[in-house]
mmCIF file of all heavy atoms in Angstrom:
data_model
loop_
_atom_site.group_PDB
_atom_site.id
_atom_site.type_symbol
_atom_site.label_atom_id
_atom_site.label_comp_id
_atom_site.label_asym_id
_atom_site.label_seq_id
_atom_site.Cartn_x
_atom_site.Cartn_y
_atom_site.Cartn_z
ATOM 1 N N GLU S 92 -35.068 -28.484 12.295
ATOM 2 C CA GLU S 92 -34.904 -29.453 11.226
ATOM 3 C C GLU S 92 -33.507 -29.399 10.630
ATOM 4 O O GLU S 92 -32.976 -30.413 10.202
ATOM 5 C CB GLU S 92 -35.941 -29.204 10.135
ATOM 6 C CG GLU S 92 -37.376 -29.462 10.592
ATOM 7 C CD GLU S 92 -38.365 -29.170 9.487
ATOM 8 O OE1 GLU S 92 -37.904 -28.822 8.385
ATOM 9 O OE2 GLU S 92 -39.576 -29.283 9.726
ATOM 10 N N PHE S 145 -4.572 26.374 -7.469
ATOM 11 C CA PHE S 145 -4.900 26.890 -8.798
ATOM 12 C C PHE S 145 -3.907 27.985 -9.190
ATOM 13 O O PHE S 145 -3.628 28.889 -8.391
ATOM 14 C CB PHE S 145 -6.324 27.434 -8.798
ATOM 15 C CG PHE S 145 -6.804 27.871 -10.152
ATOM 16 C CD1 PHE S 145 -7.001 26.947 -11.158
ATOM 17 C CD2 PHE S 145 -7.033 29.208 -10.432
ATOM 18 C CE1 PHE S 145 -7.447 27.335 -12.410
ATOM 19 C CE2 PHE S 145 -7.476 29.612 -11.677
ATOM 20 C CZ PHE S 145 -7.677 28.668 -12.677
ATOM 21 N N LEU S 159 1.938 39.361 4.659
ATOM 22 C CA LEU S 159 1.220 39.500 5.918
ATOM 23 C C LEU S 159 2.085 39.057 7.093
ATOM 24 O O LEU S 159 2.113 39.724 8.143
ATOM 25 C CB LEU S 159 -0.072 38.688 5.864
ATOM 26 C CG LEU S 159 -1.035 38.842 7.043
ATOM 27 C CD1 LEU S 159 -1.577 40.257 7.105
ATOM 28 C CD2 LEU S 159 -2.173 37.844 6.929
ATOM 29 N N ASP S 164 5.498 40.597 11.771
ATOM 30 C CA ASP S 164 6.725 40.437 12.554
ATOM 31 C C ASP S 164 7.684 41.610 12.423
ATOM 32 O O ASP S 164 8.726 41.613 13.078
ATOM 33 C CB ASP S 164 7.453 39.160 12.122
ATOM 34 C CG ASP S 164 6.620 37.919 12.367
ATOM 35 O OD1 ASP S 164 5.804 37.938 13.310
ATOM 36 O OD2 ASP S 164 6.765 36.930 11.615
ATOM 37 N N ALA S 199 -12.278 72.042 46.537
ATOM 38 C CA ALA S 199 -11.094 72.384 47.327
ATOM 39 C C ALA S 199 -11.462 72.754 48.762
ATOM 40 O O ALA S 199 -10.694 72.512 49.693
ATOM 41 C CB ALA S 199 -10.342 73.540 46.675
ATOM 42 N N GLU S 220 3.152 55.533 34.128
ATOM 43 C CA GLU S 220 2.639 55.419 32.754
ATOM 44 C C GLU S 220 3.643 55.971 31.753
ATOM 45 O O GLU S 220 3.794 55.432 30.663
ATOM 46 C CB GLU S 220 1.308 56.152 32.636
ATOM 47 C CG GLU S 220 0.198 55.481 33.418
ATOM 48 C CD GLU S 220 -1.143 56.132 33.147
ATOM 49 O OE1 GLU S 220 -1.178 57.050 32.311
ATOM 50 O OE2 GLU S 220 -2.136 55.721 33.758
ATOM 51 N N VAL S 232 13.738 50.651 18.732
ATOM 52 C CA VAL S 232 14.545 51.527 17.882
ATOM 53 C C VAL S 232 15.053 50.731 16.688
ATOM 54 O O VAL S 232 15.598 49.633 16.839
ATOM 55 C CB VAL S 232 15.709 52.107 18.694
ATOM 56 C CG1 VAL S 232 16.647 52.884 17.791
ATOM 57 C CG2 VAL S 232 15.181 53.000 19.799
ATOM 58 N N GLN S 240 14.350 47.198 5.268
ATOM 59 C CA GLN S 240 13.412 46.101 5.084
ATOM 60 C C GLN S 240 11.963 46.588 5.180
ATOM 61 O O GLN S 240 11.101 46.161 4.395
ATOM 62 C CB GLN S 240 13.674 45.020 6.129
ATOM 63 C CG GLN S 240 14.992 44.284 5.938
ATOM 64 C CD GLN S 240 15.280 43.307 7.062
ATOM 65 O OE1 GLN S 240 14.598 43.297 8.084
ATOM 66 N NE2 GLN S 240 16.308 42.488 6.890
ATOM 67 N N ARG S 252 -1.337 45.540 -3.688
ATOM 68 C CA ARG S 252 -2.677 46.135 -3.675
ATOM 69 C C ARG S 252 -3.115 46.530 -5.084
ATOM 70 O O ARG S 252 -4.250 46.297 -5.483
ATOM 71 C CB ARG S 252 -2.676 47.353 -2.761
ATOM 72 C CG ARG S 252 -4.029 48.044 -2.690
ATOM 73 C CD ARG S 252 -3.959 49.318 -1.891
ATOM 74 N NE ARG S 252 -5.216 50.026 -1.920
ATOM 75 C CZ ARG S 252 -5.414 51.237 -1.438
ATOM 76 N NH1 ARG S 252 -4.396 51.891 -0.898
ATOM 77 N NH2 ARG S 252 -6.605 51.812 -1.512
ATOM 78 N N LEU S 335 -22.075 23.249 7.618
ATOM 79 C CA LEU S 335 -20.986 24.240 7.633
ATOM 80 C C LEU S 335 -20.796 24.879 6.264
ATOM 81 O O LEU S 335 -20.532 26.080 6.156
ATOM 82 C CB LEU S 335 -19.691 23.573 8.100
ATOM 83 C CG LEU S 335 -19.665 23.107 9.559
ATOM 84 C CD1 LEU S 335 -18.357 22.384 9.856
ATOM 85 C CD2 LEU S 335 -19.842 24.290 10.501
ATOM 86 N N SER S 400 5.679 57.791 5.713
ATOM 87 C CA SER S 400 6.485 59.002 5.846
ATOM 88 C C SER S 400 7.310 58.974 7.129
ATOM 89 O O SER S 400 8.451 59.434 7.153
ATOM 90 C CB SER S 400 5.574 60.229 5.832
ATOM 91 O OG SER S 400 4.679 60.219 6.926
ATOM 92 N N GLN S 422 28.878 78.944 1.425
ATOM 93 C CA GLN S 422 28.466 80.343 1.388
ATOM 94 C C GLN S 422 27.604 80.588 0.159
ATOM 95 O O GLN S 422 27.969 80.221 -0.954
ATOM 96 C CB GLN S 422 29.708 81.249 1.351
ATOM 97 C CG GLN S 422 30.556 81.209 2.608
ATOM 98 C CD GLN S 422 29.965 82.033 3.737
ATOM 99 O OE1 GLN S 422 29.059 82.829 3.511
ATOM 100 N NE2 GLN S 422 30.470 81.823 4.948
ATOM 101 N N HIS S 455 12.621 70.547 -4.425
ATOM 102 C CA HIS S 455 11.893 69.345 -4.842
ATOM 103 C C HIS S 455 11.782 68.340 -3.703
ATOM 104 O O HIS S 455 12.014 67.143 -3.870
ATOM 105 C CB HIS S 455 12.568 68.712 -6.051
ATOM 106 C CG HIS S 455 12.432 69.513 -7.310
ATOM 107 N ND1 HIS S 455 11.282 69.562 -8.048
ATOM 108 C CD2 HIS S 455 13.314 70.320 -7.953
ATOM 109 C CE1 HIS S 455 11.444 70.351 -9.096
ATOM 110 N NE2 HIS S 455 12.661 70.830 -9.064
ATOM 111 N N ARG S 541 -0.351 92.842 2.953
ATOM 112 C CA ARG S 541 -0.348 94.019 3.804
ATOM 113 C C ARG S 541 0.040 93.666 5.230
ATOM 114 O O ARG S 541 0.387 94.558 6.013
ATOM 115 C CB ARG S 541 -1.717 94.694 3.791
ATOM 116 C CG ARG S 541 -2.828 93.839 4.352
ATOM 117 C CD ARG S 541 -4.120 94.643 4.493
ATOM 118 N NE ARG S 541 -4.550 95.131 3.196
ATOM 119 C CZ ARG S 541 -5.466 94.504 2.452
ATOM 120 N NH1 ARG S 541 -6.004 93.367 2.881
ATOM 121 N NH2 ARG S 541 -5.846 94.985 1.293
ATOM 122 N N GLU S 618 17.346 103.949 -8.087
ATOM 123 C CA GLU S 618 17.850 103.036 -9.116
ATOM 124 C C GLU S 618 16.699 102.574 -9.992
ATOM 125 O O GLU S 618 15.649 102.158 -9.484
ATOM 126 C CB GLU S 618 18.535 101.833 -8.475
ATOM 127 C CG GLU S 618 19.067 100.824 -9.474
ATOM 128 C CD GLU S 618 19.731 99.630 -8.813
ATOM 129 O OE1 GLU S 618 19.873 99.637 -7.584
ATOM 130 O OE2 GLU S 618 20.108 98.692 -9.542
ATOM 131 N N PRO S 724 39.105 110.525 -28.222
ATOM 132 C CA PRO S 724 39.419 111.953 -27.990
ATOM 133 C C PRO S 724 40.470 112.101 -26.900
ATOM 134 O O PRO S 724 40.485 111.337 -25.921
ATOM 135 C CB PRO S 724 38.064 112.525 -27.585
ATOM 136 C CG PRO S 724 37.317 111.391 -27.007
ATOM 137 C CD PRO S 724 37.747 110.179 -27.802
ATOM 138 N N GLY S 760 48.377 111.486 -11.497
ATOM 139 C CA GLY S 760 49.824 111.555 -11.714
ATOM 140 C C GLY S 760 50.601 111.336 -10.455
ATOM 141 O O GLY S 760 51.666 110.738 -10.463
ATOM 142 N N VAL S 768 43.992 101.590 -16.311
ATOM 143 C CA VAL S 768 44.024 102.870 -17.001
ATOM 144 C C VAL S 768 45.261 102.919 -17.887
ATOM 145 O O VAL S 768 46.361 102.578 -17.451
ATOM 146 C CB VAL S 768 44.062 104.047 -16.002
ATOM 147 C CG1 VAL S 768 44.156 105.360 -16.731
ATOM 148 C CG2 VAL S 768 42.814 104.011 -15.135
ATOM 149 N N SER S 785 44.610 93.876 -24.521
ATOM 150 C CA SER S 785 44.969 94.447 -23.220
ATOM 151 C C SER S 785 43.820 95.187 -22.591
ATOM 152 O O SER S 785 43.756 95.336 -21.380
ATOM 153 C CB SER S 785 46.161 95.396 -23.370
ATOM 154 O OG SER S 785 45.813 96.482 -24.222
#
Side-chain angles (χ1 to χ4, degrees):
E92 294 179 3
F145 185 67
L159 187 65
D164 298 331
E220 292 187 3
V232 173
Q240 291 175 350
R252 180 186 175 188
L335 293 176
S400 62
Q422 294 282 347
H455 290 284
R541 63 172 61 97
E618 179 181 354
V768 177
S785 62

